[in-house]
Structures are given as C-alpha cells and as structure tokens.
Amino acid sequence: MSKRTLSVRRKIAWLGLAAMTALLGACTEPTGGRTGTAGPRNLVPGSPPPPPTAQPYDPGTYKVGKAYQIAGQWYYPQVDVAYEETGIASWYGPNFHGRKTANGEVFDMTLISAAHRTLPMPSVVRVTNLENGRSLIVRINDRGPFARGRIIDLSRRAAELLGFTAQGTAMVHVRLLAEESRQAALAAGATGRDMAAFGPPPPKASPSVEVSVERLTNVEGVNVSATPVLSASPSQQTPITASKPEHVNEPGEAASPPPFGAMTAINDTRNGLAAEPAAANPILTNVAVQARAEPINVKELPNRETVEQVTVEHAPNIFIQAGAFRQFVNANRLRARLASLGHPVNVSQVYVTNQPFFRVRMGPLGSVEDADRALDRLVALGYPEARIVVD
C-alpha cells in the first residue's frame, strides 16, 4: 500500500470522527433553572440573544410550592389575591436565556415575564415604574430575585419597556391582577384545591342600560335642585349611559388598609425589645393606574407590549423599614439605636386591620446604592428582617 493511499484513508477517518463529535454535541442541551449552574444554550454571557422563534403558547405547570430557604432566609409561597407592594425591581437576561424557569417553561429574555419569590406560577401582575410612570402587565413564571432589597426580577424586554435597563434597577409598585391570575392558573392546569385558594370567581357584570333625565318645571314657592332627576317619561328626554367611574385616591386621602402580614416585626428581647406580633407595611396607594376597557388574554401576555402611562402623585422616596411595634416604647428604643448610623430615623403610627402599630423607618435615602449599603449594615447589626421600602 502506498504512502499516498494511507494518508487519504487517515484523512477520511479523521473527518468521520469530527462529524460524529459535532452531531453528538448538537444533541446535548444544558439543563437547570433560575438558580441552576448550566449556562444558557448557544449564548455567551454578555452577547445579544438570538432572535425569538415563533412557538405555541406554553402555559407551564401551575406551581405554588412549599416554604424554602435561600442564603439563610425563608420564603413562604402562597396565593395572595390582595398582594400589593412597593420596592426595588431588577432585571435578568443573558446569563439565564434559554434555561428552564421554576415552573418548567423556557426563559426567553426577549419576551415579557418576571420572577417573584412567593407568588404562584403563573401569576399576572401590573408593574408600575414610579420614576417615569410607565406601567406594564407581566406574567410571573419563575422564582427570584434573591438579592436583599429587591421585590421582583423582570425579563430584559420587560425592563426595556419600563425604561430601566441602563440603570439596572427601578422603584416600582407591583399589584396582583386576581382575575387574570385565575385565568393563567387554569391554563396551567390548576384544579380543585389550587383554585379554591383564589376564592369564588367574581360575579358577571350586569348589562348597562340606557336611562334618561328630565328637568322638573319650577313650582312656585319650592326650590328645585339643579341635579337631573331620573325619569321614565318618554317626552323631552336626553339618553345617557349609566356608568360608575373608577375611584382614584386623591392626594392626602386615606387609603384602605393593606393586607396583613406583609412584614415581620423585629423581635429582639436581648436588647430590651419585647416580642410583638407581625405588622404589615403600608403600601403606596396613590398610583393612579388607568382602567382597561377590554379583558386581557393571558395567552398573549408574553408578547403583549402595551405600556400605559400613569400618574404618580409624588416623587418616590426610599426607606429602610427596620420594624413595626404595638408599643411606642419599643419603637423608640430601636430608633435610638439606629440613629448612630448617620441617617434620619423616624417613628410613625399606622393602622393595620384597624390595629395601631408604630413603624420605624430610616431615610429617606438618596439612591438604591445608599439603601443597599444601609440595609447591609442593619442586617450585620442583627436585624435580618429589615427591608427596603418605597413610599
């Protein structure tokens, strides 16, 4: 056999081996989820993602989950149809693009989605950027964020639409949309006990009817109100449609109490603070979100890029909430301890389910970075339940 023939055969063998290796590599995909260790499929961290491919709607698997612990902190997933919170939002993208989410979907950073630590998956929330008034409806299908001081982690596309990709974080108001969340749960296979947690479905809206008004003629000696009087008389009538405008809180108007249990009070008997029941953190309620005229189709949410411009009554401020107590003396003792940290500390009285509590807050703070540093100091001093709030 000539050397030339042997060389050709060796080249053919090497080419066959290379083709086999490439084929096996193409059949292998990383696995994992929001907190997994596998890298994103066909994507180098920091590089732009591939264009999304058209796929049928994936409702994922309905999941609430049991209590879990991350970095020493416990989280308790549950259905909370009254959920509403203000705080700091972050966003995630390239490092998780292509991985599976906590309920089995594939995360696509170019679509609209979010991660939350305790709400059911999927859930539907309205996220409002309090810094620019942009508001977006987002579907939650993942767990996170697990950095202290963050309440929601948005996909890159959702962050782009809300206008904070460049700065990385934003002060936001998050509110669960109960009916849309119910629809999303049903689409993901929730049944029986799962749906019972949402409570009874809302009653169907009664049909609107046309009514008419007629002014009464003045009777001598009787003062007639200028308010139109409803009448069934067919003569001289102007048809109008009966409707009830959505109520929006005016500045300074008292808001309804927030859901109970939104935060845990500081219980530190070693430092002279008596153990007390948990108190809820009052939320920002004067974010006037425009009413939607049409129902939302949950199947369209990953691609629904409708951004509403809403009214934010005042510029948001960042605080660290260290605790809330039934006894003023306990709140005042905590205020005195925190005063040495160099930030203003105040005690204010709030009502939770008609019960008075004294809330201890540090701030306002100048930026998210200042709040992160202050929160780390409080945690290091032995107050692990302290958290960032926006008001």
Side-chain angles (χ1 to χ4, degrees):
M1 183 182 295
S2 66
K3 292 184 179 181
R4 178 178 178 81
T5 302
L6 182 60
S7 175
V8 170
R9 288 184 176 179
R10 284 179 177 175
K11 289 181 179 180
I12 293 174
W14 278 109
L15 288 174
L17 180 59
M20 182 68 71
T21 302
L23 180 60
L24 291 174
C27 296
T28 304
E29 292 184 358
T31 58
R34 179 72 173 85
T35 57
T37 57
R41 183 172 61 249
N42 301 325
L43 190 71
V44 177
S47 66
T53 56
Q55 296 180 352
Y57 170 72
D58 179 8
T61 302
Y62 180 75
K63 182 178 180 181
V64 178
K66 299 179 180 180
Y68 63 97
Q69 189 179 36
I70 299 289
Q73 188 166 358
W74 283 93
Y75 301 97
Y76 301 88
Q78 62 177 326
V79 175
D80 182 4
V81 294
Y83 172 81
E84 197 167 1
E85 189 176 9
T86 57
I88 308 298
S90 52
W91 65 271
Y92 68 118
N95 290 339
F96 295 93
H97 187 78
R99 295 187 186 181
K100 284 190 175 181
T101 67
N103 75 329
E105 300 177 35
V106 176
F107 174 64
D108 187 336
M109 63 186 286
T110 67
L111 301 179
I112 299 170
S113 65
H116 193 275
R117 292 176 291 210
T118 58
L119 289 176
M121 299 173 291
S123 290
V124 181
V125 296
R126 176 179 284 279
V127 182
T128 301
N129 187 340
L130 299 178
E131 300 175 44
N132 58 21
R134 294 186 181 185
S135 187
L136 181 69
I137 295 177
V138 180
R139 183 172 172 273
I140 291 171
N141 65 353
D142 209 351
R143 283 285 177 246
F146 298 112
R148 286 188 182 273
R150 306 292 182 264
I151 65 171
I152 194 169
D153 219 359
L154 296 160
S155 67
R156 191 187 73 171
R157 183 53 181 159
E160 287 174 349
L161 294 171
L162 289 173
F164 70 91
T165 48
Q167 66 196 67
T169 60
M171 291 179 276
V172 298
H173 175 269
V174 183
R175 177 171 61 87
L176 183 84
L177 301 183
E179 182 54 28
E180 286 81 355
S181 295
R182 183 194 304 274
Q183 295 175 21
L186 285 171
T191 59
R193 183 180 300 177
D194 294 328
M195 296 308 300
F198 285 90
K204 293 183 179 180
S206 59
S208 60
V209 295
E210 288 191 352
V211 296
S212 58
V213 297
E214 178 184 14
R215 289 193 179 277
L216 300 177
T217 57
N218 292 337
V219 178
E220 186 176 355
V222 177
N223 291 327
V224 178
S225 171
T227 303
V229 178
L230 298 182
S231 170
S233 171
S235 60
Q236 299 179 352
Q237 297 175 351
T238 304
I240 61 173
T241 300
S243 63
K244 182 178 180 181
E246 181 180 9
H247 175 73
V248 176
N249 292 326
E250 297 296 335
E253 181 181 357
S256 59
F260 186 78
M263 76 158 288
T264 303
I266 298 297
N267 297 328
D268 191 352
T269 54
R270 295 170 301 173
N271 294 322
L273 298 180
E276 298 182 355
N281 171 50
I283 56 173
L284 179 65
T285 55
N286 57 354
V287 178
V289 178
Q290 299 173 358
R292 300 188 309 274
E294 76 288 345
I296 299 299
N297 183 350
V298 296
K299 294 184 179 181
E300 298 174 353
L301 287 178
N303 297 285
R304 187 180 186 274
E305 299 191 347
T306 302
V307 177
E308 298 181 53
Q309 190 69 36
V310 305
T311 301
V312 179
E313 299 295 345
H314 65 268
N317 291 309
I318 310 177
F319 298 86
I320 304 295
Q321 182 148 315
F325 304 88
R326 288 188 181 276
Q327 301 296 325
F328 173 77
V329 63
N330 288 334
N332 198 42
R333 286 173 183 169
L334 179 57
R335 180 199 61 77
R337 291 194 192 98
L338 300 184
S340 62
L341 297 181
H343 297 288
V345 184
N346 65 81
V347 177
S348 59
Q349 188 175 20
V350 295
Y351 284 83
V352 178
T353 60
N354 297 322
Q355 298 296 319
F357 285 86
F358 295 94
R359 183 180 64 191
V360 183
R361 283 187 173 182
M362 177 189 296
L365 300 164
S367 66
V368 174
E369 291 75 18
D370 290 342
D372 286 340
R373 286 190 291 267
L375 180 60
D376 289 341
R377 293 184 67 185
L378 255 67
V379 172
L381 288 174
Y383 301 101
E385 298 293 336
R387 66 193 186 98
I388 296 175
V389 296
V390 175
D391 204 349

